[in-house]
Amino acid sequence: MTIFAKTWTMTLILGIETSCDETAAAVVEDGRFILGNVIASQVDLHRRYGGIFPEVASRQHILSILPVIEEALFGADIDWDDLAAVAVTYGPGLAGSLLVGVNAAKGLAWGRGLPLVGINHIEAHIYANWLVKDAPPPVFPLVCLVVSGGHSELVLMTGHGQYQRLGGTLDDAAGEAFDKVGRLLELPYPGGPAIQETARDGTPSAFKLPRAWLPGTYDFSFSGLKTAVLRIVQQHQTQSGDKASFKLRATNSQHPPLTRLISVANLAASFQTAVVDVLVEKTRRAAEEFEAKAVLVAGGVAANELLREEMSKRNSIPVRYPAIELCTDNAVMVASAGFFRFMAGERAGWELDVIPSLRLLEKAPA
Ligand code: KG4
Ligand code: ZN
């Protein structure tokens, strides 16, 4: 006897994500409800290098991809026949990593007779905001801040799949700045969560750090801030009689631990506040200028507690964030974006290829 009859109106999408260092697969219903979600993280593997090692990442994706997809379907308690389509990230990201996901998706979709939908990773991050439990879907127009390890983009979203890029980083992405400064402060990889933890015991006004306001634009720049942190570290190392190298160093240097020379907590707190200040202020101004109904924050850095707190405090319109576990890379967000593109009639051809430098406004190849 069937206890649980599935209504045939629901549309189930299998999402696949391998753009960086997470191998992920998920099943999402109607773009909003998570049925299965599996992430095989490679963070421990890359920690010894202090950052992502692309060749190691793609080899690990090859090992994980099929078990991860099988587990996502098993967790969702569905068969291949229940799926409406397969959605996969085809850019931006690491070429070797993207190739694993795209080829798995193409092979499985072909083999199972399912349509294929190509998804932009930045768009997927935005769609993590459609998966917030018990909240109605966001209403357009929206100003979206996408801040991750690879991207910092401020985008006006006027409808599903309709974007106007307002600005972006001119150098490091916000997450990249967190990771580089984390390394400088001799904190473990990834730097974002480590800086957040360390900053809890620090005073944000302890160090006067620069903010690149870049007036008249919605662009960001974090390289000056990163260099300012580097100079402070070097100054203390030099004062302690240590001849510091003028390069960003890995944690296993011969120098005395930084914590003996300086308040790392104060420097972490001052850095975090400087990044958050600029991100929040630019987003707030954009939301006002474009009369947005809400602000969406997305990407790994959207997990940052100070960013979430300040963004809500300084905006007069609603601010939405994905659940913390959906801020960093996952396939749920790919399946959600895939649902809306699938419903709009979009299909990728079997020639779908990876585009490592894909931008948000480029359309998936038909
Ligand atoms: O979205 P994501 O998983 O990967 C990319 O698409 O790049 O983002 C990873 C980035 C890393 O740079 C990491 O340091 C940062 O997100 N991150 C954070 C926090 N959690 C992750 N940055 C600041 N605060 C956090 N709590
Ligand atoms: Zn990402």
Side-chain angles (χ1 to χ4, degrees):
M1 188 179 74
T2 311
I3 304 167
F4 221 113
K6 291 195 175 88
T7 57
W8 64 276
T9 48
M10 61 190 190
T11 302
L12 305 187
I13 307 287
L14 170 67
I16 297 176
E17 159 66 39
T18 63
S19 68
C20 194
D21 61 341
E22 324 278 6
T23 318
V27 178
V28 171
E29 178 189 328
D30 294 340
R32 301 212 60 212
F33 307 103
I34 304 169
L35 302 191
N37 178 20
V38 179
I39 304 172
S41 175
Q42 303 178 9
V43 163
D44 291 339
L45 201 61
H46 296 286
R47 189 165 283 133
R48 74 186 79 155
Y49 306 111
I52 295 158
F53 202 118
E55 182 61 25
V56 172
S58 45
R59 281 169 189 271
Q60 191 58 37
H61 283 308
I62 292 171
L63 297 177
S64 308
I65 188 73
L66 292 179
V68 162
I69 292 171
E70 273 167 20
E71 204 180 320
L73 293 175
F74 181 76
D77 192 20
I78 60 155
D79 293 323
W80 284 97
D81 293 344
D82 297 318
L83 289 170
V86 178
V88 63
T89 303
Y90 70 102
L94 301 169
S97 292
L98 288 163
L99 270 169
V100 178
V102 167
N103 283 318
K106 284 203 293 196
L108 292 168
W110 172 270
R112 300 283 175 174
L114 290 167
L116 183 70
V117 183
I119 294 298
N120 180 311
H121 182 77
I122 301 173
E123 174 175 70
H125 270 302
I126 292 174
Y127 273 89
N129 280 290
W130 265 258
L131 293 145
V132 180
K133 258 196 206 134
D134 307 325
V139 177
F140 302 109
L142 299 160
V143 160
C144 311
L145 175 72
V146 188
V147 269
S148 69
H151 322 280
S152 293
E153 308 264 339
L154 199 53
V155 173
L156 176 66
M157 187 177 185
T158 50
H160 286 295
Q162 288 168 20
Y163 307 99
Q164 184 189 330
R165 187 177 185 273
L166 304 176
T169 186
L170 302 181
D171 37 61
D172 290 343
E176 191 181 355
F178 267 100
D179 293 339
K180 286 180 177 171
V181 168
R183 209 178 327 162
L184 209 56
L185 299 183
E186 299 178 356
L187 297 173
Y189 172 82
I195 286 179
Q196 174 172 295
E197 279 315 302
T198 308
R200 284 190 207 289
D201 302 322
T203 306
S205 56
F207 291 93
K208 213 170 165 325
L209 295 174
R211 276 94 167 131
W213 291 113
L214 307 175
T217 76
Y218 286 117
D219 289 329
F220 306 106
S221 165
F222 299 107
S223 67
L225 175 59
K226 186 186 65 190
T227 307
V229 175
L230 174 65
R231 295 274 176 257
I232 291 168
V233 168
Q234 286 172 338
Q235 210 179 5
H236 284 77
Q237 284 170 334
T238 311
Q239 276 168 5
S240 79
D242 177 41
K243 299 282 168 262
S245 139
F246 269 64
K247 279 199 250 143
L248 293 181
R249 295 176 301 107
T251 45
N252 58 350
S253 68
Q254 310 105 340
H255 303 288
L258 197 60
T259 42
R260 276 208 240 143
L261 309 175
I262 196 171
S263 166
V264 171
N266 281 350
L267 196 44
S270 303
F271 166 78
Q272 179 176 246
T273 301
V275 174
V276 166
D277 238 5
V278 178
L279 292 177
V280 171
E281 192 50 28
K282 294 239 165 184
T283 308
R284 188 190 65 76
R285 280 186 214 165
E288 261 177 36
E289 181 179 342
F290 295 97
E291 298 178 357
K293 294 267 197 325
V295 166
L296 305 188
V297 190
V301 183
N304 187 270
E305 284 169 14
L306 185 69
L307 178 64
R308 292 164 92 100
E309 198 182 300
E310 288 299 313
M311 196 67 91
S312 294
K313 217 191 284 176
R314 293 196 230 164
N315 276 284
S316 54
I317 55 173
V319 181
R320 299 176 61 139
Y321 326 86
I324 296 283
E325 64 277 13
L326 296 185
C327 288
T328 44
D329 290 349
N330 63 83
V332 168
M333 64 190 196
V334 178
S336 176
F339 168 80
F340 290 100
R341 290 209 171 261
F342 175 74
M343 294 311 273
E346 207 170 287
R347 306 288 184 268
W350 299 118
E351 73 285 1
L352 178 72
D353 201 357
V354 304
I355 305 184
S357 58
L358 183 68
R359 296 177 63 107
L360 188 56
L361 304 179
E362 286 172 40
K363 258 180 75 84

